Amino acid sequence: MKNNKSAAARIAALGAAGAVALGFWSAGAANADTFVPLADNEISKTLIDGTVVTIKGFGQSGLISPSMGATPTQRNVWVTGNYTVETSNPGGGSIEPGFLVGCQVDFAAGISGGVEGSFGQGNTIKLEPGKPLSSLEINRTQPNTYDIGAGVNLDLAPGQLNDIKLVADETSAKIDGVTVATDTSNSFDFSGNGGGYTYADETLSVSGCAGFAEARSYVNVTIDNDAVTSTVTLWGQPFSIG
């Protein structure tokens, strides 16, 4: 198993997660960065077997900076944040953090007009008109080895969005002497009654988007025991990246 954990650090125990959102200043007004503080958020759910899952997001922010290409179709944002998870399930669970990034897709409005597009190698994403973001359908036909972690550049047309994974565990095999990924897991396990995740100054870049671009963080927490298998999702505050 190969670990590609990008620039983020895991937190093994509750209370160990702590971060201070830092402000950034540019050397000149012509290329000033824009610091966007994002609201703390929380969700608590009781599963059908009585297991309680509480997810908290805090210290979240985005730093929007002009692209190196200095063209209106390019965007760049540095994102930072923290998650903690508490659960009454003694066996722990798994955490999958990521971001949705879209071009002319209004996350705040629930994408009421509907959206359908493709990303990666044959993967598709779809949301029916009028449906909430929670009903987003993602059909992955191949591992997302090409867009895992920050630092990727997304080439998005209007109406398209991409699902960016912040962690990846890959299995690989050699085919004709070439090592290729054969399977990808975008989550990691925590044990006991709590865990967490921190990401700092992860970069997300967009090119080819002639309209506005937005981003929204999410974290999926999955509990799997003898009585239930269930996933709870905490959505972050959507924000414009220009």
Side-chain angles (χ1 to χ4, degrees), residues 148-228:
I148 288 171
V152 298
N153 181 74
L154 310 175
D155 191 3
L156 296 179
Q160 288 187 324
L161 56 86
N162 204 311
D163 181 17
I164 302 299
K165 305 300 183 182
L166 294 183
V167 299
D169 285 334
E170 298 178 358
T171 57
S172 60
K174 279 195 173 183
I175 301 177
D176 294 332
V178 178
T179 301
V180 297
T182 57
D183 192 20
T184 304
S185 173
N186 298 125
S187 63
F188 64 89
D189 296 333
F190 66 92
S191 59
N193 296 109
Y197 185 81
T198 292
Y199 57 97
D201 294 336
E202 298 275 17
T203 59
L204 305 173
S205 299
V206 174
S207 62
C209 180
F212 68 89
E214 280 199 350
R216 189 174 195 180
S217 66
Y218 68 87
V219 58
N220 295 321
V221 174
T222 300
I223 302 298
D224 187 2
N225 57 38
D226 292 339
V228 65

